[in-house]
């Protein structure tokens, strides 16, 4: 079945540091890929997405590129801020048929210190 | 995007009791999904709820434990029955986006603590 493997946290960075959170996936079809973010005390929010190979999703300074050859969708940001402290989830949705079920990774807790 | 409201936002419950979580969406949607997020864990899909039909449960989840109602295109409820401490989790309602890309929009979740 489908699966998502995420870099284990927690990750602690200083403000303005470079961030990479690794994500690899296994899927039978051609999935769409997502990064969701969960700020403290809040629900999940879609951060960015990519629907086909070589697509780059971006939002709020975060980027991730859909790499079919390496089955990866790593999240990056060039300069993190304290407000980026949150849990980040990588997820995939297999586009076969009308299946909207998302498969999530275990999440990576990011803490950014001033 | 859709605006999703869940009630209650949090509750503390006694072992053996049941609690119903409500999910209201600001637009009509075909499919609604219920997820569980156990402490320190990722999200696990409980069931998919379509209006006018029985909910479809994922492996490991049964209707007797998690009955779901879907009376119309904007509302659903999830009941957690005969609760035990292992049911302490965040329960999230979600709906799919308009575009067929598989993305979901989530409510803020209902945090249940079972004593």
């Amino acid at each position: 079945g489908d699966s998502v493997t995420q870099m284990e946290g927690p990750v602690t960075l200083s403000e303005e540091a470079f961030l990479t959170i690794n994500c690899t996936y296994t899927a039978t079809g051609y999935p769409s890929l997502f990064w969701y973010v969960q700020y403290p005390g809040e629900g999940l929010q879609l951060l960015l997405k990519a629907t086909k190979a070589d697509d780059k999703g971006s939002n709020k300074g975060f980027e991730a590129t859909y790499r079919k050859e390496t089955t990866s969708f790593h999240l990056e940001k060039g300069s993190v801020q304290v407000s980026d402290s949150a849990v980040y989830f990588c997820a995939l949705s297999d586009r076969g048929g009308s299946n909207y079920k998302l498969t999530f990774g275990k999440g990576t807790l990011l803490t950014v210190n001033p | 995007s859709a605006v999703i409201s869940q009630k209650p936002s949090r509750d503390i419950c006694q072992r053996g009791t049941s609690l119903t979580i409500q999910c209201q969406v600001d637009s009509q949607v075909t499919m609604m999904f219920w997820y569980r997020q156990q402490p320190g864990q990722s999200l696990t899909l409980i069931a998919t709820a379509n209006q006018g039909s029985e909910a479809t449960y994922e492996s490991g989840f049964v209707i007797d434990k998690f009955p779901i109602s879907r009376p119309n295109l904007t509302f659903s409820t999830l009941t957690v029955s005969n609760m035990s401490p292992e049911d302490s989790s965040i329960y999230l309602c979600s709906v799919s986006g308009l575009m067929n890309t598989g993305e979901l929009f989530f409510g803020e979740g209902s945090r249940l603590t079972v004593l």
Side-chain angles (χ1 to χ4, degrees):
Chain A
D2 296 345
S3 67
V4 176
T5 302
Q6 249 182 273
M7 168 179 156
E8 289 200 18
V11 175
T12 302
L13 297 173
S14 298
E15 207 164 23
E16 299 183 2
F18 184 85
L19 169 71
T20 299
I21 301 177
N22 290 339
C23 172
T24 57
Y25 67 90
T26 303
T28 53
Y30 298 92
S32 295
L33 301 174
F34 307 89
W35 277 100
Y36 282 82
V37 59
Q38 186 175 34
Y39 297 104
E42 300 184 13
L44 269 78
Q45 303 173 27
L46 178 66
L47 179 61
L48 53 84
K49 67 182 180 186
T51 58
K52 61 182 188 295
D54 299 325
D55 270 2
K56 177 186 284 187
S58 61
N59 186 25
K60 299 182 181 180
F62 290 89
E63 293 182 340
T65 301
Y66 189 142
R67 301 285 188 199
K68 186 168 180 286
E69 64 276 14
T70 54
T71 62
S72 65
F73 194 54
H74 305 321
L75 182 69
E76 296 182 337
K77 186 172 185 181
S79 176
V80 293
Q81 306 299 313
V82 173
S83 57
D84 294 325
S85 297
V87 181
Y88 292 82
F89 292 93
C90 185
L92 71 81
S93 175
D94 193 330
R95 292 189 294 173
S98 60
N99 179 17
Y100 288 97
K101 184 173 75 172
L102 283 184
T103 301
F104 285 87
K106 291 188 175 181
T108 302
L109 173 63
L110 170 66
T111 301
V112 180
N113 295 318
Chain B
S1 65
V3 176
I4 304 168
S5 303
Q6 277 186 242
K7 289 193 289 188
S9 57
R10 60 178 63 231
D11 207 339
I12 299 173
C13 308
Q14 297 299 316
R15 182 194 300 258
T17 64
S18 299
L19 183 78
T20 296
I21 302 167
Q22 299 179 3
C23 177
Q24 180 75 52
V25 187
D26 69 341
S27 57
Q28 294 184 338
V29 294
T30 304
M31 301 171 77
M32 295 176 75
F33 307 87
W34 287 98
Y35 280 82
R36 181 176 73 181
Q37 185 180 16
Q38 293 177 300
Q41 301 296 314
S42 186
L43 284 78
T44 303
L45 181 64
I46 297 171
T48 302
N50 291 333
Q51 192 267 336
S53 63
E54 293 286 330
T56 303
Y57 289 83
E58 297 297 307
S59 176
F61 298 96
V62 296
I63 188 171
D64 289 346
K65 175 67 176 177
F66 297 101
I68 288 171
S69 77
R70 183 78 203 275
N72 58 53
L73 291 173
T74 63
F75 188 78
S76 178
T77 67
L78 169 75
T79 298
V80 186
S81 303
N82 188 25
M83 286 185 284
S84 66
E86 292 71 35
D87 295 319
S88 298
S89 295
I90 300 173
Y91 293 85
L92 297 115
C93 172
S94 67
V95 303
S96 57
L98 290 177
M99 303 301 291
N100 188 19
T101 57
E103 69 184 89
L104 294 182
F105 298 96
F106 287 85
E108 292 187 354
S110 298
R111 182 183 296 269
L112 302 188
T113 302
V114 185
L115 302 178

